[in-house]
Each structure stands twice: as structure tokens, then as C-alpha cells.
Amino acid sequence: MAEAGTTVRGLLARRDFRRLLGTRLLSQFGDGVFQAALAGTVLFNPQRAADPVDVAAGFAVLLLPYSLVGPFAGVWLDRWSRRQVLLRANVVRAGLVAVVAGLILAGVQGPGFYAAGLAVFSVNRFVLAALSAGLPHTTDEPSLVSANAVSTTSGAVATVIGGSVALALLPLTGSGDAGYSAVALSAALPYLAAAGVVAGFTRTHLGPDHMSRSAVLSARQVLAGMVSGARHAWRDRAAAAALTAISLHRFWYGLLTLMALLLYRNTFTEGTAWFPGGLVGLGEVVAAGAVGTLVAAALTPAAVSRIGKERWIAGLLVGGGLAQLGLGLLVQPPAAVAAGFLLGLMGQGVKICVDSTLQECIDDDHRGRVFSVYDTLFNVGYVAALMVAAVLLPASGVSRPTLAVVGVGYLLTAALYVRMSRR
């Protein structure tokens, strides 16, 4: 832990690392505000109503087309200045958020509303992939695990803080369409601030090392680039195992996500002083997950240094499975909060290792495309789980057999990851 702390101090001493970290924190803080506004609009707004299938369909409409943007974004991130991508994408997001806020205020539902949300999420794809692809340009390879621990974890915490700020604003704005519209609009401010921070980089600082002047790509070129990235990753044993592990994790996590949403909307409605119900109670679970991500950031660099990434990932997946078989099956608010903490620790620890593995194994000229493959798998697995959960789960969200399946699923994922790593 002392060595990890020294490494973190060294990272924070680098001006370029601090600038990229500031860009991430502001961007993901805005994400938290915007996502909380959307979740409240769809799930907890008394002027609207949605059943499990509606919720899952909403996620699918937002995330599946967004995954189709991934191949284009990945190829472009290996051709365009990543600094320019981050600058312009944050400005564009601020404008799109204003459009979404206007639609919420007008009470628009259905395809128009989802299309506007999809546009924001699509631009977000460029931002997150560019942040990950550009990170190795602000540190050296031995520090990549610590750099990812600091960057991705602090970014996740910034998202939760943004969501908490959105919840704190609701008593002032109200919980109807007008209130959620005002909260959504406030997300534009951190997006514009992120654009201002990243503007301090020179155009070439974040790569790619070999930029192309041509920005026009045919669908065939994009597909070829995506296939090239997938093959490049699959040929590497560690990268292939890491992508498989994170994809399966996202499937199991997707099942738990819809279950938590339904529980806090329809079952955990009253709550207590320590464990409230409704949107505030759901926020408590998310906050517990954020604390888990902080613990993961503190433990992962030291654990990887001692036992290696492969054993740490396998151990975390086993821990996630046991947590669901133990705490999850209780189906009580305190158990949900505790399970949220453990899932946050497990998920963030795995993500830090996966990000570091890809950054170490993949050369810079393929890194954007590989991270696009990564993000596409990440989202497709999540949406597939939501659709399955919409069919399996009752409106109450209470389903112990589903929790048992998730617990066993995590254990099998750990076994598969170990086997692929040793292949």
C-alpha cells in the first residue's frame, strides 16, 4: 500500500495526468447529474409510469444503437486527435443536454425522448473511449494499474456525486417534469468545464501516434477496422480472457440492476431512517457501490503487485458470486446496501485490471478500436441482461431464483477466466 501511495503521488505530480483526470472528473460528474435526471424522469416521476418491459426497452433503445456508434468511434480515435475529440464532444453534449431538458419539460415520451437521450449517450461513447485510449500518454507503463485505479475509480465516484447533487436539487426544483428538466439542464455546466480543461493540451499530446488527415470512412472501412481490433485483441491470451470476464460480469450486473430498480420502486417504498425507500434508497445503494469502488482503488494496485492481475480478477469474481448467494438472497434493504458495496468493489477491481491489461497488451495504433470492441461488449451484455430480467422478474423485483443464478454465474465466470488465462 505504501508503494501504491508513492506511485499515486508520482502520478499526481504530472501536470498532464492531472489535466486528463480533471477532464474525466468533470465529464463524469455531468454524467451523474444527467443519468439521475433521466432515471428520475422515467422511474420515479409521478407524471409518468413504466413497467419492467418498458424500463428494459428504454435501456435497449438508448444503449444498443449507442453500441453501433462504437465501431466508428474506435476507428476515428485511432485517426483523429483525441484532445480534439474530448474538447468537441463535451461541447456537443452540453447542447444535446439542453435539448433533452426541453423535451422533459414539454412532457415528450416515446421515440423522440429516447432518440435525444441516445444522442447524448452516443457522444459519451467518444469521451470515455478517448479518455482510456489517451491515458497511457500521461504516464509510463509500470504505473498503468495505479493510473487506471485513480482515473476510473475517481471518475465513477464523480458520477455518483453528480447523481447525489441531482437528488439534492430535487427538493428545490420539484419531482415533476419541470423539476427533472432543470436538473438535466444543469449537467451542461460540468460538460462545458471539461471542455475548458482539456483545451490546455496540445493537439497531439494524447495521441494517436500516427494520425490520418482523412476523416471520411466508408462503412466497409469501419467494419474492417472493428474486425482488425477484435482480432488483435483475441490473439492475445490475456486480452481475450479479460474481455470475456468483463462482458459476463456486465451480464450478471445487468440482471441485478433491473432487480434493484424494481425493488426500490415497488417493494422498498417506505424504508426507515437508516435505510430509506424509493429514489433516495436506490441512491444509497449506488453510494455504497461508490464506496466499494474507492476501496477497490486502494486495494487493487497492491493486490496486483502481490498476486498478479489474473488471480485478483478471479478472486473478485468469486467474491461477487458468494456475496449474491449470501447477502442477495435476503432481499432486504440493509442486505441490498451491503451487496451494493461488495459489487462496487468487485466490479471496479475487475475493470481496473481489464483496462490495464488492454493498455499494456494493445499497441497505440489499435488501442481505440480495441476499446470500442470492449465498450460494445460491455453494453450489449448489459442490455441483453436487462431484456432477460424484464421477462423473468415480477413487478415487485423479488426473485430469489434469479439471485441464485447470478451468484452461480459469477462463480462460473471466474472458472472460465482462469481457464482462458492459462490456455
Side-chain angles (χ1 to χ4, degrees):
M1 291 295 293
E3 292 176 1
T6 302
T7 303
V8 170
R9 285 193 294 272
L11 288 169
L12 295 177
R14 292 186 55 145
R15 186 177 180 181
D16 56 352
F17 179 82
R18 293 198 308 272
R19 187 177 295 279
L20 190 64
L21 179 63
T23 303
R24 178 185 287 273
L25 294 179
L26 287 166
S27 294
Q28 295 197 241
F29 179 88
D31 291 343
V33 175
F34 182 70
Q35 290 168 14
L38 281 187
T41 299
V42 174
L43 292 171
F44 297 96
N45 186 345
Q47 295 176 240
R48 306 183 185 220
D51 61 22
V53 175
D54 291 333
V55 174
F59 274 106
V61 168
L62 289 173
L63 295 180
L64 281 182
Y66 159 78
S67 297
L68 298 178
V69 177
F72 291 88
V75 176
W76 281 330
L77 285 171
D78 289 335
R79 299 164 67 92
W80 291 352
S81 164
R82 292 167 190 155
R83 179 261 197 189
Q84 293 298 98
V85 169
L86 288 169
L87 173 62
R88 294 173 180 173
N90 276 298
V91 173
V92 169
R93 282 200 297 180
L96 291 173
V97 160
V99 173
V100 173
L103 293 176
I104 295 174
L105 182 61
V108 175
Q109 302 185 53
F113 175 73
Y114 287 125
L118 169 62
V120 178
F121 280 93
S122 297
V123 177
N124 192 47
R125 165 66 189 87
F126 283 87
V127 173
L128 294 178
L131 287 167
S132 295
L135 181 64
H137 290 267
T138 65
T139 185
D140 50 16
E141 186 170 310
S143 302
L144 271 177
V145 172
S146 294
N148 277 293
V150 172
S151 297
T152 60
T153 302
S154 59
V157 172
T159 301
V160 174
I161 293 174
S164 300
V165 170
L167 293 179
L169 290 174
L170 282 177
L172 302 176
T173 63
S175 58
D177 283 339
Y180 285 113
S181 173
V183 172
L185 183 60
S186 67
L189 296 176
Y191 289 154
L192 293 174
V197 172
V198 80
F201 283 114
T202 62
R203 187 183 183 94
T204 60
H205 193 97
L206 300 176
D209 294 335
H210 304 96
M211 283 185 283
S212 170
R213 293 186 180 181
S214 173
V216 180
L217 298 172
S218 67
R220 183 175 180 179
Q221 286 175 303
V222 172
L223 180 59
M226 188 73 167
V227 171
S228 174
R231 287 177 175 172
H232 194 79
W234 193 254
R235 282 195 295 265
D236 187 278
R237 171 185 54 82
L243 287 172
T244 300
I246 198 73
S247 300
L248 289 173
H249 155 63
R250 285 294 286 180
F251 182 84
W252 308 124
Y253 187 76
L255 293 176
L256 296 174
T257 297
L258 189 57
M259 179 176 289
L261 291 173
L262 294 175
L263 283 171
Y264 277 93
R265 185 187 176 196
N266 300 321
T267 301
F268 302 157
T269 54
E270 299 298 329
T272 64
W274 288 100
F275 298 98
L279 183 58
V280 176
L282 182 62
E284 188 176 50
V285 174
V286 174
V291 174
T293 65
L294 288 173
V295 174
L299 294 179
T300 297
V304 169
S305 177
R306 181 177 294 273
I307 65 175
K309 287 193 286 289
E310 291 79 9
R311 290 182 180 178
W312 183 237
I313 289 176
L316 288 169
L317 291 170
V318 169
L322 294 178
Q324 292 311 306
L325 292 174
L327 292 170
L329 291 174
L330 297 176
V331 194
Q332 294 292 328
V337 173
F341 166 79
L342 293 175
L343 280 174
L345 191 161
M346 181 270 293
Q348 188 65 13
V350 170
K351 188 179 189 306
I352 290 169
C353 292
V354 171
D355 287 359
S356 302
T357 298
L358 296 180
Q359 289 163 346
E360 291 168 356
C361 297
I362 307 302
D363 62 79
D364 192 63
D365 289 338
H366 287 84
R367 194 172 288 141
R369 281 166 282 179
V370 171
F371 269 95
S372 290
V373 174
Y374 175 9
D375 285 354
T376 300
L377 293 172
F378 203 75
N379 287 309
V380 170
Y382 187 67
V383 171
L386 290 168
M387 299 305 293
V388 170
V391 175
L392 294 179
L393 294 176
S396 66
V398 179
S399 176
R400 288 182 173 85
T402 301
L403 285 167
V405 168
V406 171
V408 173
Y410 270 119
L411 298 178
L412 293 176
T413 300
L416 177 61
Y417 172 75
V418 169
R419 181 172 181 177
M420 291 183 67
S421 298
R422 294 177 178 176
R423 184 176 57 190

